[in-house]
Amino acid sequence: MAEGKGGLSKGCIIALGVVGVIVILAIALAIVCYVYKDEIIELGLSKLTDSVAAEIKNNLPEGVTAAEVDSLVVEFKQAYRDKKVDQTEIQRLSVMFQEMLKDKEVDKDEGRKFLEELVKVIEE
């Protein structure tokens, strides 16, 4: 009788190595995301509010200037940094913005409603 080699084949060892590297990368990514979650959220929130401001300024509601929109966005970002804005309000604003962009355009009424919501969030 011929005895076979014991152990794993070369292809299996390579596959296990690749899976091991992927697992290590996934764990490292999870740790980094957990450690920097506030910064990641703030970056996303900053991009969202900048996008909203740009869309609103493209079609300004009556009685609102571009400078007022920018000022309100800066106040909102500062309120978030000061921990005056909770996650449910952020989620509500995000959903509201997604709804506004369904038709690829933010009209004056939608812009006014969003600005009013920002004011409510800041004042709470």
Side-chain angles (χ1 to χ4, degrees):
M1 287 185 149
E3 290 186 39
K5 291 183 179 178
L8 302 173
S9 69
K10 188 176 180 180
C12 188
I13 292 174
I14 291 172
L16 286 174
V18 169
V19 168
V21 169
I22 291 172
V23 168
I24 290 171
L25 288 174
I27 291 170
L29 182 62
I31 291 170
V32 168
C33 287
Y34 180 76
V35 169
Y36 293 106
K37 68 182 175 192
D38 290 335
E39 289 85 357
I40 293 169
I41 291 170
E42 187 173 340
L43 176 65
L45 187 61
S46 177
K47 295 295 183 188
L48 173 72
T49 53
D50 290 342
S51 298
V52 171
E55 289 296 323
I56 291 173
K57 287 190 285 186
N58 285 340
N59 197 7
L60 282 171
E62 291 181 28
V64 178
T65 66
E68 290 171 336
V69 173
D70 290 335
S71 174
L72 190 58
V73 167
V74 169
E75 286 180 48
F76 175 74
K77 289 178 184 179
Q78 187 59 47
Y80 178 78
R81 280 188 221 106
D82 294 341
K83 307 272 190 245
K84 294 179 181 177
V85 180
D86 66 15
Q87 295 301 319
T88 57
E89 291 170 330
I90 292 171
Q91 289 174 351
R92 188 170 47 86
L93 290 172
S94 297
V95 169
M96 186 178 187
F97 185 57
Q98 290 172 357
E99 291 293 322
M100 289 167 44
L101 286 180
K102 277 188 177 178
D103 60 355
K104 308 279 190 236
E105 185 180 342
V106 177
D107 64 29
K108 293 179 182 188
D109 291 333
E110 292 171 331
R112 181 174 301 285
K113 287 178 187 174
F114 192 83
L115 293 174
E116 289 170 356
E117 286 299 315
L118 281 182
V119 169
K120 288 179 189 175
V121 168
I122 292 168
E123 291 176 353
E124 289 179 358

